[in-house]
Amino acid sequence: MTGPPTPPPTSAIEIQDAARASVPPTDIATTTQQTETEAEPIVTDPPTEETPASAASVQQQLTTYYHLLFPTIAELVSRAEYAAVVEVAERGDLHAEHDDHVSRLLLTAPLVLSYLILDSLPPARFALSRIPAVLSSDPLATSLQSLVAAVWEKKYDQVYTRANDVLAVTQQENLASHVDLAPLLSRLVISFVESFRAKTFTLLSKAYSTVPLALAQAYLGMPAEQLLPIAAAHKWSYNEASQVLSPVASPTAVSFSREAGLGSSLATFNSVADRLIIETR
């Protein structure tokens, strides 16, 4: 009589021993090698060639308070409510964080240009002076600084060129991909040029009884073919032979020599303009 059959292995160790006993040694080695080879792709470490994002890239990707405030500023600019732009931007500049992030220019640039449109030069300069040193060399910041300086120093012959420089920068500036700044700044620059030109035109009318065409072009930043129709619409007369414009006479108008050089002419105009501005305030 034979005894009962040997029960099958039940523990993990017994199963493993049984498997080893049923497979030849060479097959075990081959199987182990194949298992290790198949397991190699399961690697969680990142490839060595990958590098972390640069600090500049991380800074660009950061969404700041300036990004969040920008739609409100853009809406006010679209309605030409420049005093409201100043109010919102000044309040935002006081309370926002990340003041050294490049997106701060989303607020500072509209603020400065709105001040220029409103003919408020001291606060425009002060707004630029608050920019951290890390942003002062940004192309947009430097172009705005040059424009404000030209207006402050009454370099009428340079204002329009520097305004065009700001426009050129707006086409290249990338203050993070969150917003498109170019259309807003273009609108502001154009509005400033129009307001500055209109104010200068009025000052010319009050300051002089005659002014050479070339000098009027420098003051107004316009070619003759654009300037002459506007002058005619304002009842200025024009002597084509002498190329001299005669603005509508005003009590403060003074005679202006055609032979005077551009520098001295601008200096004379500036002194008269300063007096007129003081009298009208």
Side-chain angles (χ1 to χ4, degrees), residues 166-197:
V166 176
L167 281 176
V169 171
T170 63
Q171 305 303 318
Q172 306 169 6
E173 191 75 4
N174 179 21
L175 302 181
S177 59
H178 302 69
V179 299
D180 188 2
L181 184 62
L184 180 139
L185 291 189
S186 296
R187 183 185 183 104
L188 285 168
V189 171
I190 292 171
S191 296
F192 160 69
V193 169
E194 291 176 349
S195 65
F196 183 81
R197 184 174 280 143

PDB file of all heavy atoms in Angstrom, residues 166-197:
ATOM      1  N   VAL A 166       9.737 104.725 -30.169  1.00  0.00           N
ATOM      2  CA  VAL A 166       8.881 103.959 -29.257  1.00  0.00           C
ATOM      3  C   VAL A 166       7.971 103.031 -30.056  1.00  0.00           C
ATOM      4  O   VAL A 166       7.786 101.861 -29.704  1.00  0.00           O
ATOM      5  CB  VAL A 166       8.044 104.895 -28.363  1.00  0.00           C
ATOM      6  CG1 VAL A 166       7.076 104.087 -27.491  1.00  0.00           C
ATOM      7  CG2 VAL A 166       8.943 105.747 -27.485  1.00  0.00           C
ATOM      8  N   LEU A 167       7.411 103.541 -31.141  1.00  0.00           N
ATOM      9  CA  LEU A 167       6.564 102.705 -31.993  1.00  0.00           C
ATOM     10  C   LEU A 167       7.330 101.504 -32.531  1.00  0.00           C
ATOM     11  O   LEU A 167       6.800 100.390 -32.579  1.00  0.00           O
ATOM     12  CB  LEU A 167       6.018 103.526 -33.156  1.00  0.00           C
ATOM     13  CG  LEU A 167       4.827 104.446 -32.868  1.00  0.00           C
ATOM     14  CD1 LEU A 167       4.482 105.257 -34.106  1.00  0.00           C
ATOM     15  CD2 LEU A 167       3.624 103.656 -32.390  1.00  0.00           C
ATOM     16  N   ALA A 168       8.576 101.729 -32.936  1.00  0.00           N
ATOM     17  CA  ALA A 168       9.382 100.635 -33.471  1.00  0.00           C
ATOM     18  C   ALA A 168       9.632  99.571 -32.411  1.00  0.00           C
ATOM     19  O   ALA A 168       9.585  98.367 -32.692  1.00  0.00           O
ATOM     20  CB  ALA A 168      10.701 101.178 -34.015  1.00  0.00           C
ATOM     21  N   VAL A 169       9.883 100.007 -31.182  1.00  0.00           N
ATOM     22  CA  VAL A 169      10.153  99.054 -30.101  1.00  0.00           C
ATOM     23  C   VAL A 169       8.902  98.236 -29.792  1.00  0.00           C
ATOM     24  O   VAL A 169       8.989  97.045 -29.492  1.00  0.00           O
ATOM     25  CB  VAL A 169      10.642  99.797 -28.843  1.00  0.00           C
ATOM     26  CG1 VAL A 169      10.708  98.848 -27.645  1.00  0.00           C
ATOM     27  CG2 VAL A 169      12.023 100.399 -29.089  1.00  0.00           C
ATOM     28  N   THR A 170       7.730  98.862 -29.876  1.00  0.00           N
ATOM     29  CA  THR A 170       6.511  98.132 -29.541  1.00  0.00           C
ATOM     30  C   THR A 170       6.274  96.955 -30.467  1.00  0.00           C
ATOM     31  O   THR A 170       5.606  95.982 -30.090  1.00  0.00           O
ATOM     32  CB  THR A 170       5.283  99.053 -29.598  1.00  0.00           C
ATOM     33  OG1 THR A 170       5.105  99.529 -30.938  1.00  0.00           O
ATOM     34  CG2 THR A 170       5.436 100.226 -28.655  1.00  0.00           C
ATOM     35  N   GLN A 171       6.816  97.017 -31.675  1.00  0.00           N
ATOM     36  CA  GLN A 171       6.655  95.902 -32.609  1.00  0.00           C
ATOM     37  C   GLN A 171       7.573  94.733 -32.275  1.00  0.00           C
ATOM     38  O   GLN A 171       7.389  93.629 -32.771  1.00  0.00           O
ATOM     39  CB  GLN A 171       6.939  96.373 -34.045  1.00  0.00           C
ATOM     40  CG  GLN A 171       6.107  97.563 -34.472  1.00  0.00           C
ATOM     41  CD  GLN A 171       4.619  97.321 -34.348  1.00  0.00           C
ATOM     42  OE1 GLN A 171       4.124  96.252 -34.679  1.00  0.00           O
ATOM     43  NE2 GLN A 171       3.885  98.324 -33.873  1.00  0.00           N
ATOM     44  N   GLN A 172       8.566  94.969 -31.431  1.00  0.00           N
ATOM     45  CA  GLN A 172       9.547  93.945 -31.095  1.00  0.00           C
ATOM     46  C   GLN A 172       9.435  93.473 -29.652  1.00  0.00           C
ATOM     47  O   GLN A 172       9.867  92.382 -29.315  1.00  0.00           O
ATOM     48  CB  GLN A 172      10.965  94.480 -31.331  1.00  0.00           C
ATOM     49  CG  GLN A 172      11.193  95.032 -32.721  1.00  0.00           C
ATOM     50  CD  GLN A 172      12.499  95.783 -32.839  1.00  0.00           C
ATOM     51  OE1 GLN A 172      13.298  95.812 -31.909  1.00  0.00           O
ATOM     52  NE2 GLN A 172      12.726  96.412 -33.977  1.00  0.00           N
ATOM     53  N   GLU A 173       8.848  94.299 -28.803  1.00  0.00           N
ATOM     54  CA  GLU A 173       8.834  94.010 -27.377  1.00  0.00           C
ATOM     55  C   GLU A 173       7.979  92.791 -27.063  1.00  0.00           C
ATOM     56  O   GLU A 173       6.890  92.636 -27.598  1.00  0.00           O
ATOM     57  CB  GLU A 173       8.311  95.232 -26.610  1.00  0.00           C
ATOM     58  CG  GLU A 173       8.503  95.141 -25.109  1.00  0.00           C
ATOM     59  CD  GLU A 173       9.935  95.374 -24.683  1.00  0.00           C
ATOM     60  OE1 GLU A 173      10.769  95.688 -25.545  1.00  0.00           O
ATOM     61  OE2 GLU A 173      10.225  95.229 -23.485  1.00  0.00           O
ATOM     62  N   ASN A 174       8.491  91.944 -26.176  1.00  0.00           N
ATOM     63  CA  ASN A 174       7.752  90.761 -25.736  1.00  0.00           C
ATOM     64  C   ASN A 174       7.794  90.726 -24.218  1.00  0.00           C
ATOM     65  O   ASN A 174       8.738  90.228 -23.624  1.00  0.00           O
ATOM     66  CB  ASN A 174       8.360  89.491 -26.322  1.00  0.00           C
ATOM     67  CG  ASN A 174       7.627  88.248 -25.863  1.00  0.00           C
ATOM     68  OD1 ASN A 174       6.481  88.331 -25.439  1.00  0.00           O
ATOM     69  ND2 ASN A 174       8.284  87.116 -25.923  1.00  0.00           N
ATOM     70  N   LEU A 175       6.780  91.281 -23.607  1.00  0.00           N
ATOM     71  CA  LEU A 175       6.760  91.377 -22.154  1.00  0.00           C
ATOM     72  C   LEU A 175       6.084  90.163 -21.525  1.00  0.00           C
ATOM     73  O   LEU A 175       5.386  90.272 -20.554  1.00  0.00           O
ATOM     74  CB  LEU A 175       6.022  92.651 -21.730  1.00  0.00           C
ATOM     75  CG  LEU A 175       6.604  93.948 -22.278  1.00  0.00           C
ATOM     76  CD1 LEU A 175       5.810  95.128 -21.786  1.00  0.00           C
ATOM     77  CD2 LEU A 175       8.052  94.086 -21.881  1.00  0.00           C
ATOM     78  N   ALA A 176       6.296  89.027 -22.075  1.00  0.00           N
ATOM     79  CA  ALA A 176       5.663  87.754 -21.738  1.00  0.00           C
ATOM     80  C   ALA A 176       4.489  87.564 -22.680  1.00  0.00           C
ATOM     81  O   ALA A 176       3.866  88.511 -23.126  1.00  0.00           O
ATOM     82  CB  ALA A 176       5.203  87.684 -20.289  1.00  0.00           C
ATOM     83  N   SER A 177       4.220  86.337 -22.985  1.00  0.00           N
ATOM     84  CA  SER A 177       3.258  86.017 -24.038  1.00  0.00           C
ATOM     85  C   SER A 177       1.808  86.225 -23.614  1.00  0.00           C
ATOM     86  O   SER A 177       0.902  85.944 -24.380  1.00  0.00           O
ATOM     87  CB  SER A 177       3.451  84.558 -24.460  1.00  0.00           C
ATOM     88  OG  SER A 177       3.270  83.704 -23.339  1.00  0.00           O
ATOM     89  N   HIS A 178       1.587  86.722 -22.407  1.00  0.00           N
ATOM     90  CA  HIS A 178       0.224  86.856 -21.904  1.00  0.00           C
ATOM     91  C   HIS A 178      -0.590  87.881 -22.685  1.00  0.00           C
ATOM     92  O   HIS A 178      -1.794  87.729 -22.849  1.00  0.00           O
ATOM     93  CB  HIS A 178       0.244  87.271 -20.427  1.00  0.00           C
ATOM     94  CG  HIS A 178       0.973  86.327 -19.540  1.00  0.00           C
ATOM     95  ND1 HIS A 178       2.335  86.163 -19.574  1.00  0.00           N
ATOM     96  CD2 HIS A 178       0.524  85.489 -18.570  1.00  0.00           C
ATOM     97  CE1 HIS A 178       2.701  85.272 -18.672  1.00  0.00           C
ATOM     98  NE2 HIS A 178       1.628  84.852 -18.057  1.00  0.00           N
ATOM     99  N   VAL A 179       0.021  88.963 -23.126  1.00  0.00           N
ATOM    100  CA  VAL A 179      -0.734  90.054 -23.748  1.00  0.00           C
ATOM    101  C   VAL A 179      -0.017  90.546 -24.997  1.00  0.00           C
ATOM    102  O   VAL A 179       1.170  90.321 -25.186  1.00  0.00           O
ATOM    103  CB  VAL A 179      -0.915  91.237 -22.768  1.00  0.00           C
ATOM    104  CG1 VAL A 179      -1.694  90.813 -21.539  1.00  0.00           C
ATOM    105  CG2 VAL A 179       0.435  91.814 -22.367  1.00  0.00           C
ATOM    106  N   ASP A 180      -0.778  91.256 -25.824  1.00  0.00           N
ATOM    107  CA  ASP A 180      -0.212  91.901 -27.006  1.00  0.00           C
ATOM    108  C   ASP A 180      -0.162  93.393 -26.712  1.00  0.00           C
ATOM    109  O   ASP A 180      -1.182  94.089 -26.770  1.00  0.00           O
ATOM    110  CB  ASP A 180      -1.067  91.602 -28.228  1.00  0.00           C
ATOM    111  CG  ASP A 180      -0.416  92.101 -29.513  1.00  0.00           C
ATOM    112  OD1 ASP A 180       0.708  92.635 -29.433  1.00  0.00           O
ATOM    113  OD2 ASP A 180      -1.021  91.957 -30.579  1.00  0.00           O
ATOM    114  N   LEU A 181       1.008  93.901 -26.395  1.00  0.00           N
ATOM    115  CA  LEU A 181       1.165  95.278 -25.956  1.00  0.00           C
ATOM    116  C   LEU A 181       1.206  96.266 -27.119  1.00  0.00           C
ATOM    117  O   LEU A 181       0.843  97.428 -26.960  1.00  0.00           O
ATOM    118  CB  LEU A 181       2.454  95.402 -25.130  1.00  0.00           C
ATOM    119  CG  LEU A 181       2.769  96.759 -24.497  1.00  0.00           C
ATOM    120  CD1 LEU A 181       1.679  97.154 -23.510  1.00  0.00           C
ATOM    121  CD2 LEU A 181       4.120  96.713 -23.796  1.00  0.00           C
ATOM    122  N   ALA A 182       1.629  95.833 -28.289  1.00  0.00           N
ATOM    123  CA  ALA A 182       1.886  96.736 -29.407  1.00  0.00           C
ATOM    124  C   ALA A 182       0.680  97.595 -29.797  1.00  0.00           C
ATOM    125  O   ALA A 182       0.827  98.814 -29.947  1.00  0.00           O
ATOM    126  CB  ALA A 182       2.403  95.953 -30.610  1.00  0.00           C
ATOM    127  N   PRO A 183      -0.519  97.031 -29.979  1.00  0.00           N
ATOM    128  CA  PRO A 183      -1.638  97.879 -30.383  1.00  0.00           C
ATOM    129  C   PRO A 183      -1.953  98.985 -29.384  1.00  0.00           C
ATOM    130  O   PRO A 183      -2.247 100.121 -29.770  1.00  0.00           O
ATOM    131  CB  PRO A 183      -2.809  96.893 -30.502  1.00  0.00           C
ATOM    132  CG  PRO A 183      -2.165  95.560 -30.698  1.00  0.00           C
ATOM    133  CD  PRO A 183      -0.901  95.609 -29.915  1.00  0.00           C
ATOM    134  N   LEU A 184      -1.884  98.670 -28.097  1.00  0.00           N
ATOM    135  CA  LEU A 184      -2.194  99.674 -27.082  1.00  0.00           C
ATOM    136  C   LEU A 184      -1.176 100.800 -27.092  1.00  0.00           C
ATOM    137  O   LEU A 184      -1.536 101.986 -27.064  1.00  0.00           O
ATOM    138  CB  LEU A 184      -2.251  99.012 -25.703  1.00  0.00           C
ATOM    139  CG  LEU A 184      -2.575  99.935 -24.534  1.00  0.00           C
ATOM    140  CD1 LEU A 184      -3.540  99.269 -23.567  1.00  0.00           C
ATOM    141  CD2 LEU A 184      -1.297 100.331 -23.786  1.00  0.00           C
ATOM    142  N   LEU A 185       0.115 100.452 -27.128  1.00  0.00           N
ATOM    143  CA  LEU A 185       1.145 101.492 -27.120  1.00  0.00           C
ATOM    144  C   LEU A 185       1.123 102.301 -28.408  1.00  0.00           C
ATOM    145  O   LEU A 185       1.380 103.510 -28.385  1.00  0.00           O
ATOM    146  CB  LEU A 185       2.526 100.870 -26.899  1.00  0.00           C
ATOM    147  CG  LEU A 185       2.781 100.278 -25.514  1.00  0.00           C
ATOM    148  CD1 LEU A 185       4.242  99.904 -25.351  1.00  0.00           C
ATOM    149  CD2 LEU A 185       2.377 101.245 -24.413  1.00  0.00           C
ATOM    150  N   SER A 186       0.828 101.663 -29.525  1.00  0.00           N
ATOM    151  CA  SER A 186       0.728 102.405 -30.783  1.00  0.00           C
ATOM    152  C   SER A 186      -0.372 103.458 -30.697  1.00  0.00           C
ATOM    153  O   SER A 186      -0.190 104.604 -31.124  1.00  0.00           O
ATOM    154  CB  SER A 186       0.445 101.447 -31.944  1.00  0.00           C
ATOM    155  OG  SER A 186       1.525 100.555 -32.138  1.00  0.00           O
ATOM    156  N   ARG A 187      -1.503 103.078 -30.139  1.00  0.00           N
ATOM    157  CA  ARG A 187      -2.604 104.027 -29.973  1.00  0.00           C
ATOM    158  C   ARG A 187      -2.189 105.192 -29.081  1.00  0.00           C
ATOM    159  O   ARG A 187      -2.491 106.357 -29.365  1.00  0.00           O
ATOM    160  CB  ARG A 187      -3.814 103.302 -29.387  1.00  0.00           C
ATOM    161  CG  ARG A 187      -5.051 104.175 -29.243  1.00  0.00           C
ATOM    162  CD  ARG A 187      -6.177 103.433 -28.538  1.00  0.00           C
ATOM    163  NE  ARG A 187      -7.384 104.242 -28.466  1.00  0.00           N
ATOM    164  CZ  ARG A 187      -8.449 104.070 -29.222  1.00  0.00           C
ATOM    165  NH1 ARG A 187      -8.465 103.099 -30.126  1.00  0.00           N
ATOM    166  NH2 ARG A 187      -9.496 104.857 -29.095  1.00  0.00           N
ATOM    167  N   LEU A 188      -1.488 104.886 -27.990  1.00  0.00           N
ATOM    168  CA  LEU A 188      -1.065 105.932 -27.064  1.00  0.00           C
ATOM    169  C   LEU A 188      -0.039 106.870 -27.703  1.00  0.00           C
ATOM    170  O   LEU A 188      -0.114 108.093 -27.531  1.00  0.00           O
ATOM    171  CB  LEU A 188      -0.482 105.302 -25.795  1.00  0.00           C
ATOM    172  CG  LEU A 188      -1.495 104.708 -24.816  1.00  0.00           C
ATOM    173  CD1 LEU A 188      -0.791 103.878 -23.763  1.00  0.00           C
ATOM    174  CD2 LEU A 188      -2.323 105.808 -24.164  1.00  0.00           C
ATOM    175  N   VAL A 189       0.922 106.310 -28.415  1.00  0.00           N
ATOM    176  CA  VAL A 189       1.947 107.145 -29.057  1.00  0.00           C
ATOM    177  C   VAL A 189       1.316 108.056 -30.100  1.00  0.00           C
ATOM    178  O   VAL A 189       1.631 109.255 -30.182  1.00  0.00           O
ATOM    179  CB  VAL A 189       3.050 106.267 -29.690  1.00  0.00           C
ATOM    180  CG1 VAL A 189       3.987 107.121 -30.538  1.00  0.00           C
ATOM    181  CG2 VAL A 189       3.847 105.559 -28.603  1.00  0.00           C
ATOM    182  N   ILE A 190       0.412 107.521 -30.896  1.00  0.00           N
ATOM    183  CA  ILE A 190      -0.254 108.333 -31.919  1.00  0.00           C
ATOM    184  C   ILE A 190      -1.067 109.447 -31.271  1.00  0.00           C
ATOM    185  O   ILE A 190      -1.062 110.603 -31.725  1.00  0.00           O
ATOM    186  CB  ILE A 190      -1.134 107.448 -32.815  1.00  0.00           C
ATOM    187  CG1 ILE A 190      -0.250 106.528 -33.663  1.00  0.00           C
ATOM    188  CG2 ILE A 190      -2.023 108.298 -33.719  1.00  0.00           C
ATOM    189  CD1 ILE A 190      -1.011 105.462 -34.420  1.00  0.00           C
ATOM    190  N   SER A 191      -1.761 109.134 -30.190  1.00  0.00           N
ATOM    191  CA  SER A 191      -2.538 110.154 -29.477  1.00  0.00           C
ATOM    192  C   SER A 191      -1.631 111.230 -28.906  1.00  0.00           C
ATOM    193  O   SER A 191      -1.967 112.427 -28.955  1.00  0.00           O
ATOM    194  CB  SER A 191      -3.355 109.505 -28.353  1.00  0.00           C
ATOM    195  OG  SER A 191      -4.311 108.612 -28.865  1.00  0.00           O
ATOM    196  N   PHE A 192      -0.480 110.814 -28.375  1.00  0.00           N
ATOM    197  CA  PHE A 192       0.458 111.805 -27.849  1.00  0.00           C
ATOM    198  C   PHE A 192       0.963 112.714 -28.955  1.00  0.00           C
ATOM    199  O   PHE A 192       0.994 113.947 -28.799  1.00  0.00           O
ATOM    200  CB  PHE A 192       1.639 111.124 -27.164  1.00  0.00           C
ATOM    201  CG  PHE A 192       2.827 112.036 -27.039  1.00  0.00           C
ATOM    202  CD1 PHE A 192       2.811 113.129 -26.190  1.00  0.00           C
ATOM    203  CD2 PHE A 192       3.966 111.826 -27.819  1.00  0.00           C
ATOM    204  CE1 PHE A 192       3.887 113.997 -26.107  1.00  0.00           C
ATOM    205  CE2 PHE A 192       5.047 112.685 -27.746  1.00  0.00           C
ATOM    206  CZ  PHE A 192       5.011 113.773 -26.890  1.00  0.00           C
ATOM    207  N   VAL A 193       1.384 112.142 -30.075  1.00  0.00           N
ATOM    208  CA  VAL A 193       1.911 112.948 -31.179  1.00  0.00           C
ATOM    209  C   VAL A 193       0.863 113.942 -31.662  1.00  0.00           C
ATOM    210  O   VAL A 193       1.164 115.123 -31.917  1.00  0.00           O
ATOM    211  CB  VAL A 193       2.393 112.053 -32.332  1.00  0.00           C
ATOM    212  CG1 VAL A 193       2.686 112.875 -33.583  1.00  0.00           C
ATOM    213  CG2 VAL A 193       3.643 111.282 -31.916  1.00  0.00           C
ATOM    214  N   GLU A 194      -0.376 113.494 -31.769  1.00  0.00           N
ATOM    215  CA  GLU A 194      -1.443 114.392 -32.216  1.00  0.00           C
ATOM    216  C   GLU A 194      -1.658 115.530 -31.232  1.00  0.00           C
ATOM    217  O   GLU A 194      -1.795 116.696 -31.635  1.00  0.00           O
ATOM    218  CB  GLU A 194      -2.738 113.599 -32.407  1.00  0.00           C
ATOM    219  CG  GLU A 194      -2.703 112.636 -33.593  1.00  0.00           C
ATOM    220  CD  GLU A 194      -3.959 111.801 -33.693  1.00  0.00           C
ATOM    221  OE1 GLU A 194      -4.765 111.814 -32.719  1.00  0.00           O
ATOM    222  OE2 GLU A 194      -4.150 111.128 -34.723  1.00  0.00           O
ATOM    223  N   SER A 195      -1.678 115.215 -29.941  1.00  0.00           N
ATOM    224  CA  SER A 195      -1.894 116.264 -28.937  1.00  0.00           C
ATOM    225  C   SER A 195      -0.697 117.205 -28.855  1.00  0.00           C
ATOM    226  O   SER A 195      -0.861 118.427 -28.724  1.00  0.00           O
ATOM    227  CB  SER A 195      -2.172 115.631 -27.571  1.00  0.00           C
ATOM    228  OG  SER A 195      -1.043 114.910 -27.098  1.00  0.00           O
ATOM    229  N   PHE A 196       0.503 116.668 -28.957  1.00  0.00           N
ATOM    230  CA  PHE A 196       1.708 117.494 -28.898  1.00  0.00           C
ATOM    231  C   PHE A 196       1.780 118.413 -30.112  1.00  0.00           C
ATOM    232  O   PHE A 196       2.111 119.597 -30.003  1.00  0.00           O
ATOM    233  CB  PHE A 196       2.943 116.594 -28.840  1.00  0.00           C
ATOM    234  CG  PHE A 196       4.234 117.350 -28.699  1.00  0.00           C
ATOM    235  CD1 PHE A 196       4.658 117.802 -27.458  1.00  0.00           C
ATOM    236  CD2 PHE A 196       5.038 117.603 -29.804  1.00  0.00           C
ATOM    237  CE1 PHE A 196       5.847 118.493 -27.322  1.00  0.00           C
ATOM    238  CE2 PHE A 196       6.227 118.297 -29.681  1.00  0.00           C
ATOM    239  CZ  PHE A 196       6.635 118.752 -28.436  1.00  0.00           C
ATOM    240  N   ARG A 197       1.444 117.873 -31.271  1.00  0.00           N
ATOM    241  CA  ARG A 197       1.475 118.660 -32.508  1.00  0.00           C
ATOM    242  C   ARG A 197       0.426 119.776 -32.459  1.00  0.00           C
ATOM    243  O   ARG A 197       0.692 120.917 -32.862  1.00  0.00           O
ATOM    244  CB  ARG A 197       1.244 117.744 -33.699  1.00  0.00           C
ATOM    245  CG  ARG A 197       1.348 118.419 -35.051  1.00  0.00           C
ATOM    246  CD  ARG A 197       1.252 117.381 -36.142  1.00  0.00           C
ATOM    247  NE  ARG A 197       2.513 116.677 -36.346  1.00  0.00           N
ATOM    248  CZ  ARG A 197       2.614 115.384 -36.648  1.00  0.00           C
ATOM    249  NH1 ARG A 197       1.541 114.637 -36.747  1.00  0.00           N
ATOM    250  NH2 ARG A 197       3.806 114.841 -36.840  1.00  0.00           N
TER     251      ARG A 197
END
